[in-house]
Amino acid sequence: ANQDEVFERIARNPLNGVMEGINGTIFAYGQTGSGKTFTMTGGVERYTDRGIIPRAISAIFSEVAKRSDSQYTVHISYMEIYNDLGYDLLDPSHDAKQLEDLPRVTLMEAAGGF
């Protein structure tokens, strides 16, 4: 599957939920070298190879721009878990935290199943 197909099949429903006020998470899991980073961030050579993260950010802000009757606050996290340590990849300090020290999120499934 190409990056656009992956985005539409995996990320579109959570993003639609986010736009209705439901927290969304897209979780990539797999062994080293299985393509998690490419799937999430994409390739740098071609625009069509951009991954879920840049596509999601673009989709969110495109949708926000269409909804001038509402006000939005956007929070984005990009976390990595490696060897039982959590890293916020958007935090310039790059400090590792024990998993139990990371913020907790309560997960609930919406009635629509996304």
Side-chain angles (χ1 to χ4, degrees), residues 88-105:
D88 181 347
L89 299 177
L90 299 177
D91 180 359
S93 72
H94 301 293
D95 291 335
K97 295 183 177 154
Q98 296 296 320
L99 295 181
E100 56 271 4
D101 295 333
L102 292 172
R104 298 284 177 195
V105 175

PDB file of all heavy atoms in Angstrom, residues 88-105:
ATOM      1  N   ASP A  88       9.658  12.008  24.495  1.00  0.00           N
ATOM      2  CA  ASP A  88       8.815  12.926  23.747  1.00  0.00           C
ATOM      3  C   ASP A  88       9.707  13.513  22.655  1.00  0.00           C
ATOM      4  O   ASP A  88      10.584  14.327  22.936  1.00  0.00           O
ATOM      5  CB  ASP A  88       8.261  14.021  24.651  1.00  0.00           C
ATOM      6  CG  ASP A  88       7.357  15.004  23.917  1.00  0.00           C
ATOM      7  OD1 ASP A  88       7.339  14.988  22.660  1.00  0.00           O
ATOM      8  OD2 ASP A  88       6.686  15.786  24.588  1.00  0.00           O
ATOM      9  N   LEU A  89       9.524  13.083  21.435  1.00  0.00           N
ATOM     10  CA  LEU A  89      10.416  13.479  20.346  1.00  0.00           C
ATOM     11  C   LEU A  89      10.245  14.935  19.931  1.00  0.00           C
ATOM     12  O   LEU A  89      11.036  15.443  19.141  1.00  0.00           O
ATOM     13  CB  LEU A  89      10.221  12.541  19.156  1.00  0.00           C
ATOM     14  CG  LEU A  89      10.547  11.075  19.457  1.00  0.00           C
ATOM     15  CD1 LEU A  89      10.254  10.208  18.237  1.00  0.00           C
ATOM     16  CD2 LEU A  89      11.977  10.899  19.907  1.00  0.00           C
ATOM     17  N   LEU A  90       9.241  15.624  20.469  1.00  0.00           N
ATOM     18  CA  LEU A  90       9.079  17.052  20.205  1.00  0.00           C
ATOM     19  C   LEU A  90       9.644  17.915  21.333  1.00  0.00           C
ATOM     20  O   LEU A  90       9.637  19.133  21.241  1.00  0.00           O
ATOM     21  CB  LEU A  90       7.596  17.381  19.987  1.00  0.00           C
ATOM     22  CG  LEU A  90       6.938  16.683  18.801  1.00  0.00           C
ATOM     23  CD1 LEU A  90       5.459  17.040  18.734  1.00  0.00           C
ATOM     24  CD2 LEU A  90       7.638  17.032  17.500  1.00  0.00           C
ATOM     25  N   ASP A  91      10.142  17.277  22.401  1.00  0.00           N
ATOM     26  CA  ASP A  91      10.729  17.987  23.536  1.00  0.00           C
ATOM     27  C   ASP A  91      12.205  18.235  23.246  1.00  0.00           C
ATOM     28  O   ASP A  91      12.976  17.286  23.091  1.00  0.00           O
ATOM     29  CB  ASP A  91      10.565  17.149  24.807  1.00  0.00           C
ATOM     30  CG  ASP A  91      11.152  17.808  26.042  1.00  0.00           C
ATOM     31  OD1 ASP A  91      11.711  18.925  25.948  1.00  0.00           O
ATOM     32  OD2 ASP A  91      11.065  17.199  27.113  1.00  0.00           O
ATOM     33  N   PRO A  92      12.628  19.496  23.158  1.00  0.00           N
ATOM     34  CA  PRO A  92      14.021  19.780  22.809  1.00  0.00           C
ATOM     35  C   PRO A  92      15.038  19.254  23.838  1.00  0.00           C
ATOM     36  O   PRO A  92      16.198  19.066  23.508  1.00  0.00           O
ATOM     37  CB  PRO A  92      14.092  21.303  22.690  1.00  0.00           C
ATOM     38  CG  PRO A  92      12.822  21.818  23.250  1.00  0.00           C
ATOM     39  CD  PRO A  92      11.832  20.707  23.325  1.00  0.00           C
ATOM     40  N   SER A  93      14.610  18.985  25.063  1.00  0.00           N
ATOM     41  CA  SER A  93      15.563  18.485  26.067  1.00  0.00           C
ATOM     42  C   SER A  93      15.916  17.021  25.830  1.00  0.00           C
ATOM     43  O   SER A  93      16.936  16.543  26.300  1.00  0.00           O
ATOM     44  CB  SER A  93      14.991  18.648  27.478  1.00  0.00           C
ATOM     45  OG  SER A  93      13.942  17.728  27.696  1.00  0.00           O
ATOM     46  N   HIS A  94      15.065  16.279  25.096  1.00  0.00           N
ATOM     47  CA  HIS A  94      15.280  14.861  24.782  1.00  0.00           C
ATOM     48  C   HIS A  94      15.494  14.009  26.030  1.00  0.00           C
ATOM     49  O   HIS A  94      16.195  13.010  25.989  1.00  0.00           O
ATOM     50  CB  HIS A  94      16.456  14.682  23.816  1.00  0.00           C
ATOM     51  CG  HIS A  94      16.269  15.399  22.526  1.00  0.00           C
ATOM     52  ND1 HIS A  94      15.307  15.057  21.604  1.00  0.00           N
ATOM     53  CD2 HIS A  94      16.901  16.482  22.007  1.00  0.00           C
ATOM     54  CE1 HIS A  94      15.371  15.880  20.569  1.00  0.00           C
ATOM     55  NE2 HIS A  94      16.317  16.752  20.786  1.00  0.00           N
ATOM     56  N   ASP A  95      14.897  14.428  27.154  1.00  0.00           N
ATOM     57  CA  ASP A  95      15.029  13.656  28.385  1.00  0.00           C
ATOM     58  C   ASP A  95      14.177  12.398  28.315  1.00  0.00           C
ATOM     59  O   ASP A  95      13.012  12.441  27.928  1.00  0.00           O
ATOM     60  CB  ASP A  95      14.580  14.490  29.599  1.00  0.00           C
ATOM     61  CG  ASP A  95      15.532  15.634  29.904  1.00  0.00           C
ATOM     62  OD1 ASP A  95      16.718  15.529  29.540  1.00  0.00           O
ATOM     63  OD2 ASP A  95      15.086  16.634  30.492  1.00  0.00           O
ATOM     64  N   ALA A  96      14.778  11.287  28.723  1.00  0.00           N
ATOM     65  CA  ALA A  96      14.030  10.027  28.810  1.00  0.00           C
ATOM     66  C   ALA A  96      13.298   9.993  30.143  1.00  0.00           C
ATOM     67  O   ALA A  96      13.780  10.508  31.150  1.00  0.00           O
ATOM     68  CB  ALA A  96      14.988   8.845  28.713  1.00  0.00           C
ATOM     69  N   LYS A  97      12.098   9.404  30.122  1.00  0.00           N
ATOM     70  CA  LYS A  97      11.308   9.274  31.344  1.00  0.00           C
ATOM     71  C   LYS A  97      10.916   7.821  31.519  1.00  0.00           C
ATOM     72  O   LYS A  97      10.693   7.095  30.537  1.00  0.00           O
ATOM     73  CB  LYS A  97      10.053  10.140  31.271  1.00  0.00           C
ATOM     74  CG  LYS A  97      10.365  11.617  31.221  1.00  0.00           C
ATOM     75  CD  LYS A  97       9.122  12.444  31.225  1.00  0.00           C
ATOM     76  CE  LYS A  97       9.531  13.911  31.238  1.00  0.00           C
ATOM     77  NZ  LYS A  97       8.568  14.773  30.669  1.00  0.00           N
ATOM     78  N   GLN A  98      10.812   7.408  32.750  1.00  0.00           N
ATOM     79  CA  GLN A  98      10.275   6.088  33.033  1.00  0.00           C
ATOM     80  C   GLN A  98       8.831   6.075  32.549  1.00  0.00           C
ATOM     81  O   GLN A  98       8.127   7.086  32.621  1.00  0.00           O
ATOM     82  CB  GLN A  98      10.339   5.793  34.536  1.00  0.00           C
ATOM     83  CG  GLN A  98      11.758   5.723  35.088  1.00  0.00           C
ATOM     84  CD  GLN A  98      12.534   4.564  34.487  1.00  0.00           C
ATOM     85  OE1 GLN A  98      12.004   3.477  34.302  1.00  0.00           O
ATOM     86  NE2 GLN A  98      13.795   4.805  34.179  1.00  0.00           N
ATOM     87  N   LEU A  99       8.370   4.940  32.077  1.00  0.00           N
ATOM     88  CA  LEU A  99       7.012   4.861  31.541  1.00  0.00           C
ATOM     89  C   LEU A  99       5.975   5.284  32.570  1.00  0.00           C
ATOM     90  O   LEU A  99       4.988   5.940  32.229  1.00  0.00           O
ATOM     91  CB  LEU A  99       6.721   3.454  31.034  1.00  0.00           C
ATOM     92  CG  LEU A  99       7.572   3.005  29.847  1.00  0.00           C
ATOM     93  CD1 LEU A  99       7.163   1.602  29.416  1.00  0.00           C
ATOM     94  CD2 LEU A  99       7.463   3.966  28.689  1.00  0.00           C
ATOM     95  N   GLU A 100       6.178   4.935  33.829  1.00  0.00           N
ATOM     96  CA  GLU A 100       5.198   5.306  34.854  1.00  0.00           C
ATOM     97  C   GLU A 100       5.182   6.812  35.141  1.00  0.00           C
ATOM     98  O   GLU A 100       4.252   7.315  35.758  1.00  0.00           O
ATOM     99  CB  GLU A 100       5.413   4.502  36.145  1.00  0.00           C
ATOM    100  CG  GLU A 100       6.782   4.612  36.740  1.00  0.00           C
ATOM    101  CD  GLU A 100       7.776   3.570  36.214  1.00  0.00           C
ATOM    102  OE1 GLU A 100       7.438   2.787  35.318  1.00  0.00           O
ATOM    103  OE2 GLU A 100       8.905   3.573  36.691  1.00  0.00           O
ATOM    104  N   ASP A 101       6.205   7.546  34.687  1.00  0.00           N
ATOM    105  CA  ASP A 101       6.259   8.995  34.880  1.00  0.00           C
ATOM    106  C   ASP A 101       5.643   9.784  33.726  1.00  0.00           C
ATOM    107  O   ASP A 101       5.511  11.000  33.804  1.00  0.00           O
ATOM    108  CB  ASP A 101       7.708   9.444  35.086  1.00  0.00           C
ATOM    109  CG  ASP A 101       8.309   8.895  36.364  1.00  0.00           C
ATOM    110  OD1 ASP A 101       7.538   8.619  37.318  1.00  0.00           O
ATOM    111  OD2 ASP A 101       9.544   8.728  36.421  1.00  0.00           O
ATOM    112  N   LEU A 102       5.273   9.090  32.647  1.00  0.00           N
ATOM    113  CA  LEU A 102       4.650   9.771  31.512  1.00  0.00           C
ATOM    114  C   LEU A 102       3.199  10.103  31.846  1.00  0.00           C
ATOM    115  O   LEU A 102       2.569   9.401  32.643  1.00  0.00           O
ATOM    116  CB  LEU A 102       4.707   8.882  30.271  1.00  0.00           C
ATOM    117  CG  LEU A 102       6.103   8.638  29.701  1.00  0.00           C
ATOM    118  CD1 LEU A 102       6.029   7.586  28.603  1.00  0.00           C
ATOM    119  CD2 LEU A 102       6.713   9.918  29.173  1.00  0.00           C
ATOM    120  N   PRO A 103       2.645  11.151  31.254  1.00  0.00           N
ATOM    121  CA  PRO A 103       1.237  11.480  31.510  1.00  0.00           C
ATOM    122  C   PRO A 103       0.331  10.316  31.120  1.00  0.00           C
ATOM    123  O   PRO A 103       0.569   9.632  30.131  1.00  0.00           O
ATOM    124  CB  PRO A 103       0.982  12.687  30.603  1.00  0.00           C
ATOM    125  CG  PRO A 103       2.319  13.223  30.256  1.00  0.00           C
ATOM    126  CD  PRO A 103       3.272  12.075  30.332  1.00  0.00           C
ATOM    127  N   ARG A 104      -0.698  10.106  31.904  1.00  0.00           N
ATOM    128  CA  ARG A 104      -1.663   9.025  31.658  1.00  0.00           C
ATOM    129  C   ARG A 104      -2.844   9.554  30.869  1.00  0.00           C
ATOM    130  O   ARG A 104      -3.284  10.686  31.050  1.00  0.00           O
ATOM    131  CB  ARG A 104      -2.180   8.446  32.982  1.00  0.00           C
ATOM    132  CG  ARG A 104      -1.103   7.823  33.814  1.00  0.00           C
ATOM    133  CD  ARG A 104      -0.733   6.498  33.244  1.00  0.00           C
ATOM    134  NE  ARG A 104       0.373   5.944  34.019  1.00  0.00           N
ATOM    135  CZ  ARG A 104       1.101   4.960  33.609  1.00  0.00           C
ATOM    136  NH1 ARG A 104       0.882   4.421  32.443  1.00  0.00           N
ATOM    137  NH2 ARG A 104       2.080   4.490  34.343  1.00  0.00           N
ATOM    138  N   VAL A 105      -3.347   8.724  29.993  1.00  0.00           N
ATOM    139  CA  VAL A 105      -4.528   9.046  29.207  1.00  0.00           C
ATOM    140  C   VAL A 105      -5.524   7.917  29.401  1.00  0.00           C
ATOM    141  O   VAL A 105      -5.165   6.746  29.361  1.00  0.00           O
ATOM    142  CB  VAL A 105      -4.174   9.172  27.705  1.00  0.00           C
ATOM    143  CG1 VAL A 105      -5.423   9.391  26.870  1.00  0.00           C
ATOM    144  CG2 VAL A 105      -3.172  10.279  27.485  1.00  0.00           C
TER     145      VAL A 105
END
